[in-house]
Amino acid sequence: MGKEKTTGITDLSKEYLHKFLTFARKALGYEPIIVGGWAVFALTKAEQSVDVDILLNSENDIPKLEPFFKKHCFKKEQDFKGNANFELLLEEPDEIGGIKIESLVFDIMTKNEKNKLHENENIQVPWALAFDHNISIDFEGKKIVIPSPEVLIIFKAKALCDRTFDKYKFLEHMRHKKAFAAKKDFKIEKDKRDIKSLVNTGKIDVEKLEKILKKIKFKEIYERTTEGLIKK
């Protein structure tokens, strides 16, 4: 696994995101959709992200991107759901909010993935939503594609729900319980801040949001998860 010096993990993450997008546009012939924390930052300019979340048309496109990751010494991995990710180990770990960050990760998702809710796999928040509802937005002088504000906040609420569920489901099985809980809490609190930032933009079309939530049968869980974060 490659090693990279850094004085700031979020700046390093952003640098690699720019490099990746330049490569991906040529390799894929289309614009990949940025989801997760960097999509929120592009819309809100509130808080930068550590990891990079990318949405592709097809899993067949992943090999087209591997030369980029190989060139920059990322190691290909798979998460517990079988999704591809690419990890770069940092030579000098960074620290954010008291949490040691030892690597930079690109998570790759694809259009056909169902994105099942961890607490109830009968409920899905499909990544395909971002292909039906997206916008082009300026990201430091260049245009990128992100989900619409309505879909982005739904994705964030789903991530928050999953992480909260996972924290309590897996905690008792973890050898280093304190460290595991701290890392989960770090991401949970970031999700909460991202949701608040999205709301504060005033760019969410409530009627459109309601329609999407009802269509995917996620309304009840969305409201439960965002309770206290969104003013009525």
Side-chain angles (χ1 to χ4, degrees):
M1 187 179 294
K3 294 187 176 183
E4 179 75 32
K5 289 185 178 181
T6 177
T7 56
I9 182 62
T10 57
D11 285 339
L12 183 70
S13 176
K14 182 168 58 178
E15 179 185 334
Y16 272 112
L17 174 56
H18 279 298
K19 290 179 180 178
F20 169 82
L21 287 173
T22 299
F23 178 91
R25 290 175 185 120
K26 295 179 181 178
L28 300 174
Y30 66 86
E31 190 79 22
I33 299 176
I34 307 303
V35 295
W38 279 117
V40 175
F41 175 79
L43 191 65
T44 67
K45 302 297 186 289
E47 186 173 351
Q48 296 189 118
S49 183
V50 175
D51 294 335
V52 180
D53 301 298
I54 306 291
L55 185 54
L56 304 179
N57 287 352
S58 167
E59 63 181 14
N60 295 328
D61 289 334
I62 297 175
K64 300 175 185 178
L65 301 174
E66 291 183 358
F68 170 83
F69 294 111
K70 184 176 181 180
K71 176 182 177 181
H72 294 289
C73 301
F74 283 76
K75 181 180 179 181
K76 187 176 182 179
E77 306 281 358
Q78 276 191 328
D79 64 17
F80 71 96
K81 294 175 289 185
N83 294 331
N85 60 55
F86 296 86
E87 182 179 27
L88 177 67
L89 185 66
L90 303 177
E91 185 175 286
E92 299 175 7
D94 204 349
E95 186 173 302
I96 301 177
I99 300 298
K100 183 184 289 187
I101 309 295
E102 298 180 298
S103 64
L104 168 61
V105 177
F106 273 69
D107 284 316
I108 310 293
M109 286 76 69
T110 59
K111 181 178 181 179
N112 292 329
E113 290 177 29
K114 296 177 180 178
N115 197 21
K116 297 178 181 179
L117 193 69
H118 293 186
E119 69 178 61
N120 182 353
E121 293 194 349
N122 291 319
I123 298 175
Q124 302 170 7
V125 182
W127 293 116
L129 286 172
F131 289 86
D132 297 330
H133 309 277
N134 60 67
I135 60 174
S136 178
I137 192 170
D138 180 77
F139 184 69
E140 298 190 334
K142 293 185 178 180
K143 292 291 184 180
I144 64 170
V145 176
I146 66 172
S148 69
E150 299 79 20
V151 169
L152 188 52
I153 199 170
I154 290 172
F155 284 161
K156 268 291 163 181
K158 195 266 184 184
L160 173 57
C161 184
D162 284 348
R163 285 178 177 133
T164 303
F165 176 78
D166 291 348
K167 175 185 173 182
Y168 295 104
K169 179 180 179 181
F170 298 114
L171 183 60
E172 63 180 288
H173 304 294
M174 292 295 151
R175 182 179 178 184
H176 303 290
K177 291 181 172 57
K178 187 175 180 180
F180 173 80
K183 287 184 178 181
K184 282 294 180 185
D185 285 339
F186 171 76
K187 292 200 169 187
I188 286 169
E189 292 306 314
K190 173 65 161 56
D191 287 334
K192 290 179 180 179
R193 293 193 299 274
D194 281 348
I195 289 171
K196 289 180 180 179
S197 295
L198 287 168
V199 173
N200 290 339
T201 64
K203 296 178 180 179
I204 294 174
D205 184 324
V206 176
E207 184 177 344
K208 182 178 178 181
L209 174 62
E210 289 284 327
K211 287 181 179 179
I212 298 172
L213 287 171
K214 289 178 181 178
K215 183 178 180 180
I216 63 174
K217 299 179 174 59
F218 191 62
K219 187 174 188 298
E220 181 180 344
I221 294 173
Y222 172 86
E223 290 179 344
R224 182 195 76 199
T225 303
T226 60
E227 185 177 6
L229 301 175
I230 299 176
K231 293 181 181 180
K232 301 295 185 181

